[in-house]
Amino acid sequence: MSDYKPVVGTKGGQLVYSDWEPVDDLNVLASTAATTQQAAYVLWGALWQFDPKNAPYPDMVSAVPSTDNGLVKQIDATHMDVTLRLKSGIKWSDGSPITPDDMMFTINAICNPDTGASSQAGYDHIATMEVKGATDLILHFGPTKSGYCGLTADNPSGIYASFLTDMDFNTMPKSVLGNVKAADWATNDYFTKKPTVTSGPYMIQDFSPGPAAQVVMVPNPHYGDGRSGAQFFGHAPYLDKLIYKIYGDKSSQIAGIKAGDTDLGLDLIAADLPALNSATNAKTVHATGLLDEFLSLNQGNNETGCASSQYAATCGKPTPFNGDKPLRQALDLAIDK
């Protein structure tokens, strides 16, 4: 269990935080863009989160699953069960209950290739799922067949030790998205205009996407339901408003910081320190983080024309990088990073 001790805040006020890269949508299941995630963190609760020492602590669940608390059980050499136990009484922002059915619905969506989930790692080890009562979803991990949840070959074992880091998904509301075709999630108003219900401490008041995006968020009135007395996330949000502002380019963002238009600037690097240190109304804090950006060359097949990325190996065409090591080496030498 984490030894993290949250600091008690002061009620009221607003925070404007900013970036310079676009927010095109709020599709937290499919997008890997940092800007989308930086808005999603406060809109959708996680099952559990990690403290500065990378120890997990519960968010939407009553306890982080482990063998010590009995929520993780190894059945045999190829089977294990993980119980996701929601906090009793936890609710969506419209006051409706968050249920195990919502969690099961989300996992099924992640495994549907048409949804375009950014990762299916771990979910492809779930053989079956079982709703038990008003709070529990039991994941029965076991051998699974090729074609299930992105698998390109049979999976002989369901044992998946890294489920805590790979499967901390954001639960989606079945009541809102249950009748939306998986292929339409990317263009649905829930992600592109305004999520009607959320589970995190804040909900959307206004969202305008693009290179000059602005996400205006206000407190979720039901965030505290079912959380009272919890060691973590046991209270309503402190700030009256959050505004996530996108400037379109880094120089404009830095100018906004210097002018006092934004309280917190994100996605800045060491090379920006000279410009930031000249700001007279802001304090520059720098630290070594655990995130990095990189170029990943597709050495497989282009999935254009395939039903989904899952079938690219059989229907797609090889990319220029597939099998051409000298080309990849030349690109590496040409990039001064």
Side-chain angles (χ1 to χ4, degrees), residues 5-321:
K5 298 293 189 296
V7 177
V8 177
T10 302
K11 185 74 173 70
Q14 73 171 29
L15 173 74
V16 180
Y17 65 112
S18 64
D19 207 307
W20 56 274
E21 296 183 282
V23 178
D24 294 321
D25 57 54
L26 298 171
N27 191 348
V28 66
L29 290 187
S31 177
T32 58
T35 48
T36 297
Q37 300 297 326
Q38 283 158 188
Y41 286 149
V42 294
L43 293 174
W44 289 280
L47 299 179
W48 48 80
Q49 301 201 38
F50 294 86
D51 71 12
K53 297 180 181 178
N54 278 333
Y57 57 90
D59 183 347
M60 290 175 60
V61 294
S62 60
V64 176
S66 70
T67 53
D68 290 339
N69 59 26
L71 297 178
V72 177
K73 298 177 181 178
Q74 183 167 345
I75 308 303
D76 56 35
T78 60
H79 294 78
M80 61 181 275
D81 286 353
V82 175
T83 298
L84 305 179
R85 179 164 294 161
L86 289 169
K87 287 183 168 78
S88 180
I90 196 169
K91 295 179 181 178
W92 294 103
S93 57
D94 65 353
S96 61
I98 301 173
T99 69
D101 283 322
D102 290 315
M103 292 193 291
M104 181 186 289
F105 167 72
T106 304
I107 292 174
N108 284 330
I110 290 170
C111 280
N112 188 328
D114 292 335
T115 307
S118 59
S119 175
Q120 295 171 320
Y123 304 98
D124 54 8
H125 285 57
I126 300 173
T128 60
M129 294 182 282
E130 174 189 357
V131 171
K132 192 171 183 179
T135 60
D136 290 9
L137 176 65
I138 304 175
L139 309 179
H140 298 295
F141 288 73
T144 46
K145 294 292 186 180
S146 175
Y148 169 71
C149 201
L151 285 175
T152 56
D154 290 353
N155 174 34
S157 175
I159 303 299
Y160 197 78
S162 57
F163 74 90
L164 280 179
T165 54
D166 290 347
M167 301 176 65
D168 180 21
F169 59 90
N170 297 102
T171 301
M172 294 292 112
K174 183 178 180 180
S175 62
V176 176
L177 295 169
N179 293 323
V180 179
K181 292 180 180 178
D184 295 335
W185 276 37
T187 56
N188 188 266
D189 286 355
Y190 184 80
F191 294 116
T192 60
K193 293 183 179 179
K194 185 177 182 179
T196 48
V197 295
T198 59
S199 58
Y202 289 87
M203 59 186 188
I204 292 290
Q205 183 180 70
D206 185 59
F207 170 47
S208 53
Q214 184 160 285
V215 188
V216 181
M217 296 164 277
V218 293
N220 167 2
H222 293 282
Y223 183 70
D225 294 354
R227 295 175 175 271
S228 179
Q231 181 180 357
F232 308 102
F233 305 104
H235 58 81
Y238 294 125
L239 292 169
D240 294 331
K241 183 174 287 188
L242 279 177
I243 300 175
Y244 185 32
K245 185 174 182 178
I246 302 299
Y247 282 89
D249 61 78
K250 188 177 290 187
S251 60
S252 296
Q253 182 192 14
I254 292 175
I257 294 172
K258 290 182 174 181
D261 293 333
T262 178
D263 303 303
L264 176 65
L266 304 176
D267 201 16
L268 300 168
I269 60 176
D272 302 318
L273 284 173
L276 292 167
N277 286 334
S278 65
T280 57
N281 63 337
K283 179 181 179 181
T284 302
V285 178
H286 55 88
T288 300
L290 297 177
L291 297 177
D292 59 80
E293 292 185 340
F294 57 90
L295 293 174
S296 180
L297 304 179
N298 181 5
Q299 298 182 47
N301 287 358
N302 191 315
E303 64 188 61
T304 301
C306 303
S308 73
S309 58
Q310 174 182 347
Y311 305 108
T314 55
C315 80
K317 295 182 179 180
T319 68
F321 313 110

